[in-house]
Amino acid sequence: MTNSFADFAKAKMILVIGSNMTEAHPVAASLLKMAVIGGAGLIVVDPRRTPLVDLANLHVPIKVGSDVAFLNGVMNVLVTEDLYDKKYVESCTMGFEDLKKKVLEYPPERAAAISGVSAEMIRDVARRLAAVRPAMLMYTLGITEHICGVNNVMSCANLQMLLGNVGFECGGVNPLRGQNNVQGACDMGALPNVFPGYQRVDNPHAREKFAAAWKVEKLPEKPGIMIPQMIEGLLDGKVKAFYVFGENLANTEPDIRHVEHCLGSAEFLVCQDIFPTETTRFAHVVLPAAAWSENDGTFTSSERRVNRVRTVSAPPGGAKPNWWIFKEIAKRMGQDWETNSAQEIWDNEVSQLAPSLGGIKYFRLEKDGLQWPAPSLEHQGTSFLHKEGCFTCGLGVLAPIDWIPPAEVPDAEYPLVLSTGRRLYHYHTRTQTGRSQGLNDLLGEETADISEAEAEKYGIEHGEMIAVKSRRGRVVVKANVTEQVPEGLVWMAFHFREGCANWLTNPAYDPITQTAEYKACAVAIEKLA
Amino acid sequence: MKKAIFLLNGKETPYRPGQTLLEATQAIGFHIPTLCHLKETTPTGACRICLVEITGARSLMAACSTPVAEGMEVFTETERVHNTRKLNVELLLASGKHDCLICEASGDCRLQELAYYYGIKELKFSQDEKFYPTDDDNPFIIRDFSRCIRCGRCIQACNELVVNRAISYGYRGKNSKVVTGGDGPYTDSECVFCGQCVEVCPVGALTEKKAKGKARAWETNKIRTTCPYCGVGCQQWLHVKDGKIAKVTAVEDGEPNMGRLCVKGRFGYDFIYSEERLKTPLIRENGNFREASWDEALDLVAGKFKEIIATHGPDAIAGVSCARSINEDSYQMQKLFRAVIGTNNIDHCART
C-alpha cells in the first residue's frame, strides 16, 4: 500500500474496487467503516453486492473483468469535464497526452456497454471522486487475478494520479495483501527477478554486492521462472527438483486435476510444512517445520510495517525452524552460514543488504514496528509514499491501457461466469482454520453462490446440491441462493477440498505477473435430482 | 489567545475546548474511575461511576459525557461523590449474579475492582433472581445475562469500533437487555464473531467459550505478537499459561488494529496444537512415507540437489517460499537458491 491503515479511519472519500474486505480483511474494513459512519463518502465497485455495500453511497455493480473499461470511462469524464488535477498532472506525472487519447476512446456510453453499469453512474462516480481531495483507493484480488491484472493495477494508478491523489495522507493506491507476510516474502527477494529490497538480479552491481555479502564467487544473472512455469516444468522435465515451502499448491492453483498431474510427475519433490496437505501427498521428502508462535521473527504487513512475531512454545516433536532447515541444507552443500537466529539474520544480513530496511533492527521493533522505507537508525519510518506527488522514480507514469475481455467468456455450453475468492470464517485451504476449534462449525462446507434469477431459471432451491462444471472439471456443491450475486454469476471459494473452486478455474495468466485468472471463467450449473 | 482553564479540585487545569471532563483529566494523568467508558466511542454515561460534582449543577454529572466549560469548578473527591459512586457500585452488584468465586472474569473484572476500591463489605441490596437465559449456542461466545450490568460497552464496540452493527439495547427499564436484531442467538444474527464484545465486557457477562477453565487472569503472562492470517498485521496479546495459549486479545493501543481483532485472529490460534502436526521428517519409500532422522532427510535433499545440479544445471531446481512464514525464513530460502544452488528460480504466491 502507498498509505497506512490508520488512514482508513480518517479518509474523507473512499473508492473500493475488487475487494471484499469485510470478509478477507475484517479489521481493515472496520477502520474504513468508522470513517464512513463519521461522514466519509464510499463507492464500492464490485460485481457482487458485498457486505460493504450496505454502508456505501454508491454500489457500482460492474461485470466481472470490465475494470479497465470502467476506469477508462471514469477518466474520460474527468478529462472531458475538466475535473482532473491539472497542476498535479503537469508537475508530478508524464504521459498525460497518451492517456488522454486512450481514455477519449472510452466515452461513458462505450464503457457502460462493456461494464454493464449505466453511463450516468460512470459520470456520477467521476464527479463524486473529483469533488473530494484526496480520495483513497483500495483494491484486492478482484483487480489482480485477471489476465489483465497488471493493466487493472495501472488503471487504478492512472485514476489516482489524474485526480492528484497519490502522495498524500488518506489518498494513494492501496492493495490489501491477502496473507500475513506476502509483503515480507516479496521484500525478502523470494521472487525470481530481485534480491532482498527489490535489487534486480540482472543488475551487475547488485550481484556483486550480494556475492560479496554471501561469500560466493558469482550469482546467477538470468531471472528465474514463476510458480506456473515451475509447475509446468515438472511435466516437461525442465524442473527436476521442486522445493515447496508452506504452500498447498494442489488446492490453490487453478485446474487442480492438471496441477496434481504435474506434481505427480516431479522427479524429486521436497515439501516443508506444518501439516500433511494435499500437496505433501506427492512429496519424496517431507520436512516438519515450526509454526507461527513457535518462532521469533518478523512479518511485514500490507502497510509495509515490519512487526515482531514472538515465541510461546517450542515446535512439536522434531519439527524445526524453517531458517534452520535452509541453513542445514546449505551446510550440506558446502556453505557455512554464520547467522544462527532470526534476529541475527535480520540485523546482520537483511537490514544491512536492503537499503529501505537499513534502519530497521530488532531493538526498534519492540512495540508498533516500523514502516519501510526506514533507511537509517534515526528514520521513523514512512506512513505514506511519494510525498506531495514526488514519485520515488521521478515522475509518475500515466500509461494508456486498453480493455481486453477475460480469457474465457460464457457461451452456449458454459453460459455463466464463475468468480472466486475468500470467505470470512476460513483461510485459504483450511490447513490452519480447519484445525482451529469452532471455525468449521460456522462454515462447514463449500457452496456455489447463485442469484435468485438463476435459482428460478434452473428450479434450484436454496441448500440443494447442484453440479458446477467448467472445461476443467465438475464439482457437486450446495447451492447458496443469495442477493449478493447478480444474474449470470456463480461465486465460490477454495477453502474446502470438496467443491473447491480450483477444480474449475482457468489456468490463464497475466503475461507479466503470471497471476492466474481466478476471477473469471465460464461454467454451467446442473440441477441434480 | 487565552489558555483554556477549568478548576479541578480547586486547581487551575488546562483543557482543549471540546474535551470532556474525562478526556481533560486523563490528558493530565488524573484518575477518575470509569466502567462503561470505551475509548474512541461516543460516551453513553450509562454506569454513573465517573460522577463528579460541578458547582452550580443540580445533580452530579458524568465526567465521560460532560464537556468542560471555561472556569468550570469540578470536584471529584467530595463525600457526596464518593458515596454516590459507592452506592452505584452496590446497585450494580445487586443487578445480577456477581459470584466472583466461580466467574470466568474474576481477576479481570472492572466491577470486582470497583467493589474492592470502594471497600464494599456486604451486599446492601438483595440480588435480582430472574434473568434471561444464557446464549451459548455458538462455538465462541457465552452470553450470560445474569452477569450483565447493561453498561453498553459491547454495543458501543460492535457499532462504533468494529462497525458490525449486530447488537443494541432491547426492551425497557428493568427488562432491558443487549439484543441482536430480533433478539435471537448470535448464530441467527448479523454477528460475525469478531469477539470485540467479549474483549470490552467489563464483567463476566461475555466470555470466551474456548478459554473457559483454561486459566485465571492472574495465572497468565501476555506475549505480544502479530496475527498469522491476512495482511493487515493486527497486534495481539497471547495469554499464555504453562507455555500454552489460553486466549488471544488485541493490543489496545497497537497499530494498526488499535484494539480490534477479527474471528480468525481471535479464535483461530489453536491449530498449532493439532495432533496432525508434522513432527518428524518423512521419506517416501516404495510409495509410502517412513519416518527418518533430520540427518538422513537433509543429506538426501542436499545429495539429490547436488546430483541434479551436476547433471542438469542449477536451473533444473525450483522453489516456492511461504507467504505465511517469517521474513527471515524467506530470506534464507532465496539465499539457498541463489548463493548455494545457483538459480533465481525462487518465487512465492506474491500475486494471489
Side-chain angles (χ1 to χ4, degrees):
Chain A
M1 302 198 316
T2 56
N3 288 58
S4 297
F5 286 114
D7 291 7
F8 282 41
K10 294 185 288 194
K12 293 190 178 69
M13 184 72 202
I14 298 162
L15 176 68
V16 174
I17 181 165
S19 171
N20 177 22
M21 67 172 85
T22 47
E23 294 197 67
H25 307 86
V27 172
S30 287
L31 297 171
L32 181 148
K33 288 187 282 187
M34 277 185 81
V36 176
I37 59 172
L42 172 64
I43 300 171
V44 177
V45 183
D46 202 293
R48 291 190 301 155
R49 196 181 191 290
T50 55
L52 214 47
V53 171
D54 287 346
L55 283 167
N57 301 100
L58 202 58
H59 174 213
V60 185
I62 63 166
K63 282 186 189 162
V64 170
S66 67
D67 306 79
V68 169
F70 165 73
L71 292 168
N72 277 351
V74 171
M75 289 189 274
N76 176 291
V77 177
L78 293 176
V79 170
T80 53
E81 296 190 4
D82 220 13
L83 296 172
Y84 68 99
D85 188 334
K86 277 187 223 63
K87 197 172 154 223
Y88 184 95
V89 166
E90 273 167 28
S91 57
C92 305
T93 71
M94 58 191 278
F96 175 70
E97 287 308 318
D98 290 343
L99 177 72
K100 180 177 171 183
K101 207 170 135 208
K102 182 53 67 186
V103 299
L104 288 179
E105 294 170 20
Y106 289 82
E109 285 68 22
R110 186 185 169 210
I114 298 169
S115 65
V117 295
S118 70
E120 214 30 61
M121 187 176 263
I122 291 170
R123 290 192 180 93
D124 190 14
V125 170
R127 291 166 192 160
R128 281 173 192 259
L129 288 173
V132 186
R133 307 283 173 82
M136 195 163 184
L137 184 149
M138 294 91 163
Y139 70 81
T140 311
L141 301 176
I143 283 294
T144 52
E145 288 182 348
H146 285 286
I147 53 163
C148 53
V150 169
N151 288 346
N152 287 347
V153 171
M154 292 207 287
S155 296
C156 290
N158 282 343
L159 174 67
Q160 282 296 68
M161 288 191 283
L162 206 53
L163 286 164
N165 283 339
V166 183
F168 305 94
E169 196 178 47
C170 301
V173 180
N174 300 284
L176 293 173
R177 296 292 213 159
Q179 310 207 39
N180 56 333
N181 201 37
V182 72
Q183 181 67 52
C186 291
D187 301 346
M188 293 303 105
L191 290 171
N193 59 338
V194 288
F195 292 114
Y198 304 96
Q199 299 166 86
R200 295 177 62 96
V201 296
D202 54 12
N203 175 345
H205 300 296
R207 284 201 307 279
E208 240 171 72
K209 168 180 164 178
F210 280 91
W214 293 340
K215 302 189 177 75
V216 291
E217 259 174 52
K218 63 181 181 64
L219 287 165
E221 60 179 276
K222 191 180 81 178
I225 51 177
M226 293 181 179
I227 292 176
Q229 298 151 329
M230 293 177 184
I231 294 173
E232 283 301 318
L234 297 173
L235 205 55
D236 65 23
K238 283 189 187 129
V239 174
K240 303 287 180 194
F242 192 27
Y243 194 156
V244 180
F245 162 30
E247 292 273 338
N248 189 8
L249 301 173
N251 270 14
T252 57
E253 300 308 292
D255 193 358
I256 289 179
R257 213 166 39 120
H258 179 69
V259 171
E260 294 201 338
H261 178 53
C262 295
L263 290 171
S265 310
E267 188 179 313
F268 187 61
L269 178 65
V270 182
C271 285
Q272 183 167 315
D273 216 308
I274 62 173
F275 288 112
T277 65
E278 285 79 5
T279 307
T280 60
R281 290 182 297 144
F282 299 95
H284 297 89
V285 179
V286 179
L287 303 173
W292 167 58
S293 60
E294 295 154 2
N295 281 302
D296 270 328
T298 54
F299 292 154
T300 306
S301 73
S302 272
E303 58 175 354
R304 298 166 279 101
R305 189 184 295 278
V306 182
N307 285 310
R308 274 299 309 276
V309 178
R310 293 183 178 86
T311 306
V312 169
S313 54
K320 294 281 188 190
N322 296 286
W323 59 262
W324 178 90
I325 301 172
F326 297 124
K327 179 181 157 92
E328 286 296 312
I329 295 171
K331 191 164 97 187
R332 285 164 168 79
M333 294 179 75
Q335 282 188 32
D336 243 328
W337 294 348
E338 284 166 21
T339 48
N340 204 29
S341 71
Q343 178 166 1
E344 284 178 26
I345 292 166
W346 182 280
D347 284 352
N348 303 346
E349 295 196 38
V350 175
S351 81
Q352 305 268 0
L353 291 165
S356 56
L357 306 172
I360 304 181
K361 301 282 181 191
Y362 266 45
F363 78 85
R364 297 188 72 194
L365 300 177
E366 278 307 306
K367 286 190 174 155
D368 279 353
L370 279 167
Q371 289 175 281
W372 66 256
S376 68
L377 284 175
E378 294 72 41
H379 199 289
Q380 292 306 305
T382 307
S383 60
F384 61 93
L385 302 173
H386 318 303
K387 197 168 183 181
E388 308 286 319
C390 300
F391 287 88
T392 317
C393 57
L395 292 175
V397 180
L398 294 165
I401 307 277
D402 252 320
W403 171 77
I404 55 163
E408 190 179 66
V409 292
D411 53 21
E413 203 182 344
Y414 296 99
L416 303 171
V417 174
L418 172 72
S419 198
T420 71
R422 300 174 173 121
R423 298 186 197 270
L424 175 65
Y425 294 117
H426 281 293
Y427 189 84
H428 286 223
T429 65
R430 287 171 60 254
T431 46
Q432 296 182 174
T433 51
R435 293 176 174 100
S436 293
Q437 203 193 330
L439 290 167
N440 288 329
D441 299 339
L442 293 176
L443 182 66
E445 63 185 320
E446 188 49 67
T447 61
D449 299 358
I450 58 170
S451 67
E452 283 165 4
E454 241 70 54
E456 201 169 307
K457 199 185 302 171
Y458 290 84
I460 293 166
E461 298 276 325
H462 178 69
E464 178 179 334
M465 295 304 282
I466 60 168
V468 185
K469 57 180 187 175
S470 75
R471 289 181 175 84
R472 274 73 53 192
R474 177 179 186 270
V475 296
V476 173
V477 63
K478 199 177 259 182
N480 174 31
V481 181
T482 167
E483 287 176 350
Q484 271 199 6
V485 173
E487 189 174 357
L489 185 70
V490 180
W491 197 91
M492 294 174 68
F494 61 112
H495 302 310
F496 293 85
R497 174 75 175 178
E498 297 283 314
C500 178
N502 286 329
W503 293 102
L504 309 171
T505 46
N506 187 14
Y509 300 93
D510 181 285
I512 298 170
T513 63
Q514 294 287 313
T515 300
E517 192 155 62
Y518 292 100
K519 297 298 184 200
C521 74
V523 294
I525 58 176
E526 244 173 52
K527 189 174 167 68
L528 290 177
Chain B
M1 207 178 89
K2 196 167 153 271
K3 212 171 161 192
I5 295 286
F6 74 108
L7 291 169
L8 180 62
N9 297 322
K11 197 177 154 207
E12 288 198 351
T13 307
Y15 72 98
R16 268 189 302 110
Q19 273 183 325
T20 62
L21 260 174
L22 186 66
E23 286 164 347
T25 50
Q26 281 177 341
I28 58 158
F30 183 87
H31 178 70
I32 293 178
T34 62
L35 178 55
C36 71
H37 176 70
L38 185 62
K39 219 166 122 181
E40 278 193 88
T41 66
T42 317
T44 57
C47 74
R48 320 311 289 172
I49 295 300
C50 65
L51 293 178
V52 294
E53 201 170 339
I54 296 172
T55 305
R58 192 158 49 90
S59 57
L60 298 180
M61 305 292 283
C64 70
S65 55
T66 305
V68 189
E70 184 62 32
M72 185 187 254
E73 254 188 308
V74 181
F75 297 94
T76 66
E77 306 300 319
T78 64
E79 201 178 337
R80 185 180 169 211
V81 165
H82 183 86
N83 289 344
T84 312
R85 286 181 187 166
K86 185 175 175 183
L87 176 69
N88 287 340
V89 174
E90 285 169 329
L91 287 165
L92 286 173
L93 280 172
S95 70
K97 278 198 272 179
H98 297 294
D99 40 7
C100 303
L101 206 59
I102 54 170
C103 180
E104 192 64 30
S106 185
D108 184 22
C109 173
R110 194 76 187 108
L111 185 60
Q112 193 183 45
E113 283 170 27
L114 288 167
Y116 190 80
Y117 179 79
Y118 284 102
I120 292 166
K121 295 193 183 69
E122 56 187 354
L123 293 175
K124 203 162 163 187
F125 306 101
S126 63
Q127 287 191 327
D128 271 349
E129 301 230 328
K130 269 175 69 184
F131 303 107
Y132 289 105
T134 296
D135 166 27
D136 64 351
D137 193 18
N138 71 74
F140 297 131
I141 299 168
I142 302 170
R143 301 165 73 203
D144 181 348
F145 296 98
S146 73
R147 300 187 198 278
C148 177
I149 55 170
R150 294 152 194 82
C151 67
R153 277 170 71 99
C154 54
I155 295 171
Q156 294 303 95
C158 189
N159 288 282
E160 296 190 20
L161 282 187
V162 288
V163 202
N164 289 326
R165 307 196 291 184
I167 51 174
S168 63
Y169 278 117
Y171 311 110
R172 287 289 176 272
K174 196 167 174 293
N175 296 325
S176 74
K177 180 192 180 189
V178 176
V179 295
T180 62
D183 192 18
Y186 269 6
T187 39
D188 293 338
S189 75
E190 297 293 306
C191 175
V192 290
F193 293 95
C194 68
Q196 203 67 35
C197 54
V198 181
E199 173 133 0
V200 302
C201 181
V203 292
L206 295 166
T207 52
E208 285 190 21
K209 208 179 219 180
K210 281 171 79 161
K212 194 176 164 71
K214 294 260 175 71
R216 285 302 202 179
W218 57 87
E219 294 176 316
T220 58
N221 63 313
K222 291 198 296 185
I223 295 175
R224 182 170 171 163
T225 200
T226 306
C227 178
Y229 288 104
C230 81
V232 175
C234 291
Q235 294 300 294
Q236 306 172 312
W237 288 118
L238 308 180
H239 298 245
V240 176
K241 183 190 172 188
D242 300 334
K244 209 166 167 182
I245 301 168
K247 70 169 176 179
V248 178
T249 58
V251 176
E252 198 180 51
D253 295 317
E255 290 281 3
N257 48 313
M258 302 301 276
R260 298 166 186 82
L261 288 176
C262 77
V263 60
K264 294 183 286 276
R266 192 180 304 276
F267 299 116
Y269 59 87
D270 46 330
F271 65 92
I272 50 170
Y273 304 123
S274 165
E275 274 309 305
E276 293 171 303
R277 284 290 299 276
L278 290 166
K279 292 178 185 128
T280 177
L282 303 170
I283 292 174
R284 179 180 297 281
E285 214 167 63
N286 306 319
N288 293 314
F289 285 122
R290 68 163 172 85
E291 293 189 354
S293 69
W294 274 105
D295 273 334
E296 189 189 4
L298 293 169
D299 285 344
L300 174 63
V301 172
K304 193 78 188 169
F305 283 179
K306 281 193 269 191
E307 189 188 305
I308 288 168
I309 294 167
T311 324
H312 303 283
D315 287 338
I317 302 178
V320 177
S321 187
C322 178
R324 322 269 306 113
S325 195
I326 53 174
N327 281 318
E328 293 78 0
D329 293 342
S330 272
Y331 174 84
Q332 293 281 90
M333 188 173 187
Q334 63 85 37
K335 184 178 171 185
L336 173 71
F337 270 72
R338 295 193 160 109
V340 181
I341 296 170
T343 178
N344 284 311
N345 289 345
I346 177 76
D347 198 7
H348 74 286
C349 58
R351 301 154 296 267
T352 53

